[in-house]
Amino acid sequence: MSRPPLFKFKLYTAEDTENSALAYANLLAICKAHLEDRYTIEVIDVVRHPQRALADGIRMTPTLTKLSPAPSRTIVGTLSQTERVLVALGIEHEEPTTVKRRVVQRAV
Amino acid sequence: MSKRVRLKRPAVKAPTGIAGFDSITGGGVPAARTTLLVGGPGSGKTIFALQFLVHGARHEKEPGIFVAFEETPARLVANFERFSFNIGELVPKRLYFMDAQPAPDLLRSGDFDLSGMLAALGAQAAQMGARRIVFDALDIVLSMLPDEVTRRREVYRLHEWLLAHEFTGIITAKAGLTEADSRGPQPFDFMQFMVDCAVMLNHRVVLGISQRNLRVQKYRGSSFDENESPFVIGHDGFDVAMSRTQNRADNLVSNGRVTSGVKRLDTMLGGGYYRAASVLITGFPGTAKTTLSGAFAEAACRRGERTIVVSFDSDGSEVIRNLTSVGIRLARYVDSGVLKMVSARAITGSAETVLVRIKSLAKAHRARCVVIDPISTLSSAGNELTAHAVAERLIDWCKADGITLVCTSLLDETSTNHNGGTPLQVSTLADTWIHLNYLVQAGERNRGLSIIKSRGTSHSNQVRELILSDSGVTLADTYTAGGEVLMGTLRWEKESAIRAAAEVAEVETRLRRLMLEAQEAELQQRLKSLHTELIAKQVEKALLIRTRASRKGETSRVSLRLRELRGADVIVPRRK
């Protein structure tokens, strides 16, 4: 059995805005639930480090970037739709319903 | 930060470098405030915004940032290569393009905001000292936001950020295609209330002719021209038509005269056209409008004045050839560079486009005289509404620049309203109005010329016949008969009748004189013969007297002799 991959995340936030805090909380919850200790999260506050935002091309906050494992993915928003985020990040998980998997495209 | 405070004070308005727009708004968009630019697709929002940045970076020492939501910076720069902006030399020090396109594979989950972008922008702006910021196609990113409330929140965030940093900002956003569509609430209506200045751009197609208009919808704390102003996008970007109400050209009134190219017409006008006047020559097809304007052009070239002839009907070379047949030779002036012939058939688009083209051509040629043949083309299908204003601005522009303008205008022979009015109603604006028409008399059509008006000059009220010959254009002598000016063969007949009458009179005089001479001679003769007769009579008389005396003597001698011979009578001795 191969060793499960390590997930590296960067989360760009804007000071202590509500959606940034929410995104961080959601990310943490997902990681704890599905990745145990196979993850690292770097949080970058663009207000304090605008040069990072400029260099990394960050336009919206909060923005989550998955650096590894490949492929890298970027998700914008509070990460509140857990199912969708899990699929996008490629995190294996127990699916609540297999049918819904494709339908959840434009949930608001 | 101290730099910003210093810059803030003097400028209330930030010039956009778009000539017409700056005069409509009295100086540009509000400085350190936000302007909303709304328009449909292809209405020129991006060009306007970019021109604003380029002008700031190049002429106002205000570097700018262009936030592109819709296109990549590389594509934008490539697109603007064809304009004269020369963006390349400004990028990236004075003009920075920020790519803010959402990545196509970007996933969205829940609420987000634009703080990241503003933070990045702030860093970039501080780095280059930017004063102007354009958000191009903000609607793209707004449409990604889940609901109206968050959209508003982000727009307010952006607006507050711009205000806090005292950037002069332009936000462009798409709007309904036409104003008629905007009955319902527009997607970004609230932005219009929020910003300090809102400008609408629209792009209509009227009968296949594209018409662009710009309208300032609001401008806090400033007066502005509220009407729609037509504009054209050309090589130099925007060209907004200036309205009469603002920059009225009252200066440069000239008393100088320029010749019309036809000597007798100059006399009729009391010395020619005024310099910088606008002259309108109207007439039906074939009444020699082009010829008359050609004569003017030739005369101008002869004086060495740079002239431009814009012909809508035929190519420049055709015009030259055709005018050569009436003794107007323009080819040499084209060769020497004094004259420029422009075939405006090549100019497609609205009347406004045509005007802008003519203006830029005339400027490039440094023309002092402009001939437009015929101006009525401006009002061709699709341009009816704008053509009058265009013609008005053309005349204003010529006046302001001291250019003498001669334009011809076709009158529609079939139209019911041809009692002198032109379709464009330029006639009311023109300083001098010459009307050419056909006068039908005795089965002939002849060209008649009359001066309907000529402001500020005393001018002849006479209808004159215009004669075209290979030696040039001239006006014929006037003959009237029974209240009508005689033209064509009637005039010729009258002329020859007068000639014949003169000949008859001449002959009669000579005959009479001869007769008198004869009579005189006869009388002289008679006088002479009478004299001779008198002498003869005198001689006869003398002879008679002498004869009688001698006869008397003879008789007495005879009777004496008889008596002597008879011897019967006493002979009285003769006393001697």
Side-chain angles (χ1 to χ4, degrees), chain A residues 14 17 19-20 46-47 50-51 53-54 57-63 72-82 84-85 88 106-108, chain B residues 67 96 98-102 105-124 127 141 144 146 153-154 157:
Chain A
T17 53
N19 49 26
S20 287
V46 293
V47 179
Q51 288 297 345
L54 190 62
I58 298 306
R59 303 295 173 247
M60 290 156 247
T61 50
T63 297
S72 66
R73 281 318 288 265
T74 303
I75 306 177
V76 163
T78 54
L79 311 173
S80 45
Q81 296 142 305
T82 314
R84 201 175 170 188
V85 174
R106 274 199 66 88
V108 176
Chain B
V67 185
Y96 179 83
M98 178 181 270
D99 189 353
Q101 285 189 105
D105 60 341
L106 186 77
L107 245 111
R108 192 166 50 77
S109 173
D111 180 31
F112 67 93
D113 61 54
L114 298 174
S115 310
M117 181 185 69
L118 298 182
L121 264 177
Q124 177 63 34
Q127 199 175 305
V141 71
M144 290 176 65
R153 187 194 65 201
E154 288 316 301
R157 186 198 303 281

Side-chain angles (χ1 to χ4, degrees), chain B residues 212-249:
Chain B
R212 293 176 186 276
N213 283 297
L214 175 150
R215 186 168 65 87
V216 179
Q217 193 187 42
K218 74 177 242 185
Y219 199 132
R220 283 194 188 133
S222 170
S223 66
F224 57 93
D225 189 347
E226 295 168 35
N227 300 326
E228 275 195 340
S229 307
F231 72 90
V232 176
I233 297 171
H235 182 61
D236 298 325
F238 263 59
D239 195 322
V240 180
M242 271 181 271
S243 103
R244 281 171 75 81
T245 51
Q246 304 263 330
N247 285 29
R248 185 76 184 92

Side-chain angles (χ1 to χ4, degrees), chain B residues 102-411:
Chain B
D105 60 341
L106 186 77
L107 245 111
R108 192 166 50 77
S109 173
D111 180 31
F112 67 93
D113 61 54
L114 298 174
S115 310
M117 181 185 69
L118 298 182
L121 264 177
Q124 177 63 34
Q127 199 175 305
M128 64 189 287
R131 303 295 318 127
R132 298 181 174 200
I133 292 190
V134 166
F135 293 94
D136 190 35
L138 187 66
D139 50 297
I140 298 263
V141 71
L142 290 183
S143 64
M144 290 176 65
L145 288 163
D147 52 59
E148 187 66 18
V149 178
T150 46
R151 270 178 220 143
R152 270 180 195 241
R153 187 194 65 201
E154 288 316 301
V155 170
Y156 278 113
R157 186 198 303 281
L158 200 117
H159 187 226
E160 287 305 316
W161 181 82
L162 282 170
L163 285 180
H165 289 76
E166 288 174 354
F167 289 128
T168 307
I170 289 186
I171 297 174
T172 78
K174 287 181 204 65
L177 296 178
T178 62
E179 300 229 351
D181 290 349
S182 59
R183 249 173 272 135
Q186 287 279 313
F188 310 116
D189 249 358
F190 60 93
M191 282 207 274
Q192 296 176 17
F193 294 101
M194 180 189 76
V195 295
D196 281 76
C197 174
V199 179
M200 322 292 279
L201 301 179
N202 72 54
H203 188 186
R204 275 184 292 240
V205 174
V206 182
L207 292 171
I209 301 290
S210 126
Q211 310 273 11
R212 293 176 186 276
N213 283 297
L214 175 150
R215 186 168 65 87
V216 179
Q217 193 187 42
K218 74 177 242 185
Y219 199 132
R220 283 194 188 133
S222 170
S223 66
F224 57 93
D225 189 347
E226 295 168 35
N227 300 326
E228 275 195 340
S229 307
F231 72 90
V232 176
I233 297 171
H235 182 61
D236 298 325
F238 263 59
D239 195 322
V240 180
M242 271 181 271
S243 103
R244 281 171 75 81
T245 51
Q246 304 263 330
N247 285 29
R248 185 76 184 92
D250 272 334
N251 46 355
L252 275 160
V253 171
S254 169
N255 279 323
R257 300 282 192 129
V258 287
T259 174
S260 64
V262 180
K263 216 174 237 171
R264 283 192 149 173
L265 182 55
D266 289 348
T267 315
M268 284 175 77
L269 288 163
Y273 306 136
Y274 273 120
R275 181 170 291 289
S278 46
V279 180
L280 176 70
I281 302 171
T282 58
F284 299 126
T287 43
K289 298 183 298 297
T290 305
T291 311
L292 208 57
S293 58
F296 167 75
E298 192 196 25
C301 290
R302 204 179 296 132
R303 290 193 304 272
E305 286 179 20
R306 302 182 70 84
T307 301
I308 190 162
V309 174
V310 182
S311 169
F312 285 97
D313 287 344
S314 37
D315 282 338
S317 49
E318 276 178 338
V319 174
I320 290 174
R321 182 201 64 200
N322 296 345
L323 289 178
T324 308
S325 70
V326 285
I328 297 169
R329 289 174 180 81
L330 296 175
R332 51 194 158 150
Y333 299 117
V334 173
D335 294 340
S336 71
V338 177
L339 178 67
K340 188 175 171 65
M341 304 291 294
V342 178
S343 173
R345 277 193 303 189
I347 305 174
T348 53
S350 62
E352 205 59 53
T353 318
V354 173
L355 173 65
V356 168
R357 282 280 291 153
I358 292 173
K359 269 162 84 169
S360 64
L361 284 168
K363 265 182 197 153
H365 189 63
R366 303 196 311 280
R368 294 214 60 202
C369 299
V370 173
V371 173
I372 296 174
D373 177 38
I375 198 169
S376 38
T377 315
L378 289 180
S379 64
S380 59
N383 281 321
E384 287 90 345
L385 293 171
T386 54
H388 177 66
V390 168
E392 207 172 79
R393 280 195 297 277
L394 173 73
I395 288 171
D396 277 358
W397 164 71
C398 283
K399 281 221 161 78
D401 281 17
I403 293 170
T404 313
L405 172 74
V406 171
C407 39
T408 68
S409 180
L410 197 66
L411 291 182

Side-chain angles (χ1 to χ4, degrees), chain A residues 20-41:
Chain A
S20 287
L22 208 56
Y24 183 65
N26 281 333
L27 178 64
L28 218 55
I30 290 169
C31 288
K32 278 183 176 157
H34 300 279
L35 298 171
E36 291 172 15
D37 53 356
R38 296 182 289 118
Y39 66 91
T40 59
I41 301 173

Side-chain angles (χ1 to χ4, degrees), chain B residues 19-31:
Chain B
F21 181 79
D22 286 353
S23 61
I24 287 171
T25 52
V29 295

Side-chain angles (χ1 to χ4, degrees), chain B residues 282-289 410-413 418 435-438:
Chain B
T282 58
F284 299 126
T287 43
K289 298 183 298 297
L410 197 66
L411 291 182
D412 188 3
E413 206 161 357
H418 65 250
H435 184 59
L436 296 169
N437 61 350
Y438 286 122

